Amino acid sequence: MERPTLIYIADPMCSWCWGFSPVLEEIRKRYDSQVSFQLLLGGLRPGNTERFDESRRTYILQHWKAVHARTGQLFNFDFAMDPTFTYDTEPASRAVALTRKLMPGKEWELFKRVQEAFYVDNADVTKGECLEELATPLGMDASSFRELFQLPETKQEVWEDFDQARQLGVDGFPTLIGRNGSLVATLMHGYQDMKALVPSIDRFLEKID
């Protein structure tokens, strides 16, 4: 019998998803023997081209500080980016989707590596060369990653993730959905800690039993 699935819908450049990262790790450990886990890229700002000026930087840092205050997650508030930086979340999501395709299971690790690089190291994870450096330690061949990352088919695949998230009614992150056959339930929409989230997951699993 196929196990139920917990679908995590998130974006590697979503600050609340970074804040949720420790909770996610605990959830995956706690329910590993009961469910399958699926990482679905939601698309926070895919294709964004807005100029990253000081007002935009200030706005984003306000969000980061709110996440830090609520979750305790580490952030580098310098957020010193090159003037050409645009907060386009599609490339980072595309790298995760490509990793999921080529090295199933490793997408979770790359997702977290991208988050840490962006939020703690202030790395520009919108650039292919940065994402390549993050992916290759996981066992990805650098030249293959570079080639496949730029293919139209790879770009199309990550947009299919974005579309699937919308079809599930998801328009904010992080979101956790439980699915078992025709039973689909939203277990979390927006950040929750373990104390709040575990009862929701347990109730979902009880319905299956």
Side-chain angles (χ1 to χ4, degrees):
M1 184 177 177
E2 188 174 345
R3 295 200 295 181
T5 301
L6 293 183
I7 308 169
Y8 180 54
I9 303 101
D11 189 294
M13 296 177 72
C14 156
S15 55
W16 281 108
C17 299
W18 171 234
F20 184 68
S21 182
V23 182
L24 176 65
E25 289 188 9
E26 289 300 312
I27 291 296
R28 292 187 67 206
K29 289 177 184 176
R30 185 181 183 112
Y31 294 99
D32 181 63
S33 64
Q34 297 173 258
V35 304
S36 299
F37 287 90
Q38 177 187 349
L39 176 58
L40 186 66
L41 287 313
L44 179 63
R45 294 187 181 93
N48 180 46
T49 59
E50 288 181 339
R51 187 169 64 90
F52 192 73
D53 56 17
E54 188 58 31
S55 64
R56 177 62 57 179
R57 178 179 178 275
T58 300
Y59 173 77
I60 288 171
L61 284 176
Q62 288 175 347
H63 283 276
W64 288 17
K65 289 174 181 177
V67 176
H68 172 70
R70 173 85 182 274
T71 70
Q73 267 290 62
L74 181 63
F75 284 83
N76 183 338
F77 294 117
D78 289 340
F79 198 32
M81 287 294 172
D82 186 274
T84 62
F85 174 77
T86 57
Y87 211 116
D88 177 8
T89 69
E90 186 274 337
S93 294
R94 191 192 332 156
V96 175
L98 178 58
T99 302
R100 183 183 60 200
K101 180 179 180 180
L102 298 179
M103 305 176 67
K106 290 288 188 179
E107 68 271 17
W108 297 95
E109 191 172 348
L110 182 62
F111 188 92
K112 186 176 180 181
R113 286 176 63 85
V114 172
Q115 289 180 308
E116 189 168 5
F118 184 56
Y119 290 109
V120 180
D121 302 329
N122 278 178
D124 187 351
V125 297
T126 68
K127 295 187 180 299
E129 55 268 29
C130 176
L131 295 165
E132 180 184 321
E133 290 177 3
L134 294 170
T136 49
L138 303 181
M140 189 86 68
D141 177 73
S143 60
S144 296
F145 179 89
R146 195 176 312 125
E147 178 183 357
L148 294 170
F149 181 73
Q150 297 298 341
L151 290 179
E153 296 92 326
T154 305
K155 296 179 182 181
Q156 177 61 32
E157 285 171 4
V158 75
W159 278 94
E160 289 174 359
D161 262 41
F162 303 158
D163 289 343
Q164 187 177 345
R166 300 300 179 269
Q167 289 168 13
L168 288 169
V170 176
D171 58 3
F173 319 109
T175 292
L176 189 68
I177 290 178
R179 181 169 62 194
N180 186 60
S182 61
L183 176 62
V184 178
T186 299
L187 307 177
M188 179 192 78
H189 183 64
Y191 175 86
Q192 290 186 16
D193 59 19
M194 283 289 288
K195 184 178 179 180
L197 183 54
V198 165
S200 297
I201 298 175
D202 286 346
R203 284 193 295 270
F204 169 71
L205 295 176
E206 286 168 4
K207 291 178 182 177
I208 296 169
D209 296 338

